[in-house]
Amino acid sequence: EAKSCRQVALLVHSDQSVSVVPDTARSYVIVDEAVSAAGQNGLFVHTVDKKSGEFHALRVSRKSGSELQQTGSNPFELVTVGTTIFDPSQEKIVNVAYPRRGEVIQSPSTVLGDDALLLKYLNPHLMVVVTEATKSFLSGVEPLSDGSDETGNEFYNALVGGQYSSSSSGQKRKPLGASKPGAEVSSSNASTNAATPSLFISLVDSVSGQILHRVSHAHALESDLTEGTAATRVPVVISENWVVYTFFNQRTRRTDVGVLTLHEGMIDKNGITAFSAPEQELSFSSLESAKPIVLSKTFGMAKAVTSLGVTTTKAGISAKQFLFGTANDQVISIDRRMLDPRRPNGELKESEKMEGLIRYAPLLPIVPLRTPSHIYEVSSVQSISSASANVESQSLIIAYGGPDVFFTRLAPSKGFDLLPDDFNRGLLSVVLVGLIVSLNVIQRMNKKKMVSTVWS
């Protein structure tokens, strides 16, 4: 069918049924090939119901005895793989974020200052679910009369007990957060005397439906016990093994920037030689692979943030810059090294200096030279998208969502593959012409010398 639609869509209905668009026999064959592709686990989809807080991971399968050539028969069905429920009486979903599809990743690991390798956790099915606490959750967090640390809220008891939560300061890291693949990362237990968490960041695998990691923050709600307030705005961006999000901290009256980096583990500098190599899984499975090791840190920013983005380049070699749309109608950029959760608190060691780490500072500096919008105001930026240019050093970004649309070109690692504007092209042309003329003169002189030598 040469004139048939080249794209096929699957529509998942509220009753967990699925239909194929367009409803043709050719579309059924295309979907069936994706479902039964050799060497793959199948075709997976998922649904998120923000009202009920239900997340369902589903696998598309073919009904037994169904015919692909009969249109309107709907030969496919959905099989539940996993379910995660965010109890709407305790927390409500305010944002869901996904990684950029087709992102080019230059290296699957990070080279440390001592030549060790910190392996990145690269899961294409990763998604981030942001939830905020409800009034019933916050009002139920009160200590019991028996003097124990537990409260009458079972969800809070499980949260502070370390089942899902973690704190940015409670992880033991070697070096600076790395550990062997599959090792558990300890987290410090909170107490009822600490501030009640009101914002939750959950890393979810969209194929298996399981929660990979969960982080909580306090003082994120505008009014903890006020019903009917607007949902907290939490922009999120996912790039490679990085998750960056922002929220407004009501206690410090500034924007907090949370950073999570996901890793599989670490390979020592002597772990890979010409005769030996560590055992590593060559394939990734959301249903079988181990959970990631997560490093986290929180930074402060003096301006409110309305949107987040990240630069994209052709081969992923250039340094990454995260883009922030601010409430004062500006678009600013911050180098990824400034947001690294491995930034040490004390004096830098020699290996850390060689790696290029920067000493930790709680407040992120806003450098005017790194403000892509310059003196222009970009009103109400809601989204920031980026695309690669034809050269590796350049990244194209566009900020939109409000009455203004802002487009510019950035060079995260400067124009290392471009000639500068003040390059003397005229002098280069003169040098090339001179070399060509000199080469011809030398050739003629050599030819005359050879002739005279032969005749003599």
Side-chain angles (χ1 to χ4, degrees):
E1 300 179 18
K3 297 183 179 179
S4 63
C5 181
R6 294 185 178 182
Q7 295 181 340
V8 179
L10 292 176
L11 300 182
V12 180
H13 304 282
S14 57
D15 59 351
Q16 300 297 323
S17 62
V18 63
S19 59
V20 181
V21 177
D23 187 12
T24 61
R26 175 58 180 167
S27 300
Y28 290 163
V29 172
I30 293 175
V31 175
D32 184 66
E33 291 176 353
V35 169
S36 58
Q40 298 183 5
N41 294 326
L43 182 62
F44 292 84
V45 296
H46 66 273
T47 61
V48 181
D49 191 336
K50 292 185 177 181
K51 186 175 181 180
S52 63
E54 295 183 0
F55 174 88
H56 296 281
L58 310 167
R59 180 171 58 87
V60 182
S61 63
R62 182 178 172 182
K63 296 179 180 178
S64 58
S66 59
E67 296 291 337
L68 296 178
Q69 302 300 328
Q70 183 178 359
T71 60
S73 60
N74 191 15
F76 301 102
E77 62 181 356
L78 297 177
V79 178
T80 301
V81 178
T83 301
T84 297
I85 298 179
F86 300 92
D87 189 353
S89 64
Q90 307 290 336
E91 53 183 337
K92 61 179 179 179
I93 301 176
V94 297
N95 191 13
V96 178
Y98 299 89
R100 177 187 176 91
R101 299 304 178 189
E103 182 180 16
V104 180
I105 300 175
Q106 192 268 335
S107 175
S109 62
T110 301
V111 181
L112 306 183
D114 58 355
D115 294 333
L117 296 179
L118 190 58
L119 304 179
K120 300 177 182 179
Y121 178 82
L122 302 175
N123 184 352
H125 313 299
L126 180 69
M127 59 181 293
V128 177
V129 179
V130 183
T131 58
E132 66 176 6
T134 61
K135 177 182 178 180
S136 59
F137 167 76
L138 296 171
S139 60
V141 182
E142 296 180 358
L144 297 176
S145 57
D146 57 2
S148 64
D149 289 338
E150 293 189 352
T151 68
N153 191 307
E154 296 182 358
F155 174 69
Y156 179 80
N157 295 334
L159 184 68
V160 300
Q163 182 176 0
Y164 295 120
S165 63
S166 71
S167 63
S168 58
S169 61
Q171 297 180 347
K172 297 181 179 179
R173 301 176 290 181
K174 179 187 179 181
L176 294 177
S179 60
K180 295 182 180 180
E184 296 292 335
V185 179
S186 61
S187 61
S188 59
N189 293 339
S191 64
T192 55
N193 296 328
T196 303
S198 55
L199 182 70
F200 309 98
I201 311 296
S202 302
L203 308 184
V204 182
D205 191 298
S206 60
V207 170
S208 63
Q210 63 176 335
I211 296 179
L212 302 176
H213 190 74
R214 189 171 168 92
V215 179
S216 61
H217 296 277
H219 310 292
L221 296 186
E222 183 175 353
S223 181
D224 287 350
L225 296 178
T226 301
E227 194 72 49
T229 56
T232 305
R233 181 171 181 81
V234 184
V236 182
V237 64
I238 305 173
S239 176
E240 295 185 1
N241 63 322
W242 287 61
V243 178
V244 180
Y245 56 94
T246 66
F247 64 95
F248 190 77
N249 193 313
Q250 298 296 329
R251 185 184 65 174
T252 59
R253 308 303 298 176
R254 70 184 185 193
T255 299
D256 281 358
V257 181
V259 183
L260 304 175
T261 58
L262 285 64
H263 304 277
E264 289 186 3
M266 179 188 127
I267 300 178
D268 189 73
K269 64 178 180 179
N270 298 322
I272 299 179
T273 64
F275 307 99
S276 64
E279 295 183 0
Q280 295 289 328
E281 296 182 1
L282 300 180
S283 61
F284 175 83
S285 173
S286 295
L287 304 175
E288 299 176 358
S289 298
K291 292 184 179 181
I293 301 168
V294 181
L295 312 182
S296 62
K297 188 158 287 188
T298 303
F299 302 87
M301 181 178 289
K303 297 183 179 180
V305 177
T306 60
S307 58
L308 281 177
V310 64
T311 56
T312 303
T313 55
K314 187 175 182 179
I317 300 174
S318 298
K320 295 280 187 179
Q321 287 186 358
F322 286 96
L323 308 170
F324 297 78
T326 61
N328 64 334
D329 301 334
Q330 292 289 325
V331 177
I332 63 176
S333 65
I334 296 180
D335 194 289
R336 187 171 67 173
R337 294 178 300 173
M338 301 296 297
L339 300 173
D340 197 335
R342 297 178 54 248
R343 290 177 60 180
N345 295 323
E347 292 293 334
L348 296 180
K349 300 178 182 179
E350 190 62 30
S351 61
E352 296 169 346
K353 293 180 180 179
M354 293 179 60
E355 186 181 347
L357 292 178
I358 305 172
R359 185 173 179 177
Y360 173 74
L363 192 63
L364 293 173
I366 298 177
V367 183
L369 295 178
R370 291 190 176 273
T371 303
S373 57
H374 195 43
I375 61 174
Y376 302 103
E377 292 186 357
V378 188
S379 300
S380 304
V381 177
Q382 303 298 319
S383 300
I384 301 177
S385 301
S386 64
S388 59
N390 291 330
V391 290
E392 169 60 25
S393 63
Q394 305 296 306
S395 178
L396 309 177
I397 68 168
I398 183 171
Y400 57 95
D404 297 334
V405 177
F406 175 75
F407 175 82
T408 189
R409 181 181 64 179
L410 292 181
S413 298
K414 300 183 179 180
F416 61 87
D417 53 356
L418 297 176
L419 293 176
D421 295 335
D422 57 351
F423 183 78
N424 196 336
R425 292 175 172 82
L427 178 61
L428 178 62
S429 301
V430 171
V431 172
L432 290 177
V433 172
L435 290 175
I436 294 174
V437 172
S438 301
L439 181 61
N440 291 331
V441 171
I442 293 174
Q443 285 180 344
R444 290 183 179 183
M445 292 175 61
N446 183 58
K447 185 177 181 180
K448 289 181 179 180
K449 184 177 180 180
M450 293 294 294
V451 171
S452 61
T453 302
V454 171
W455 282 102
S456 62

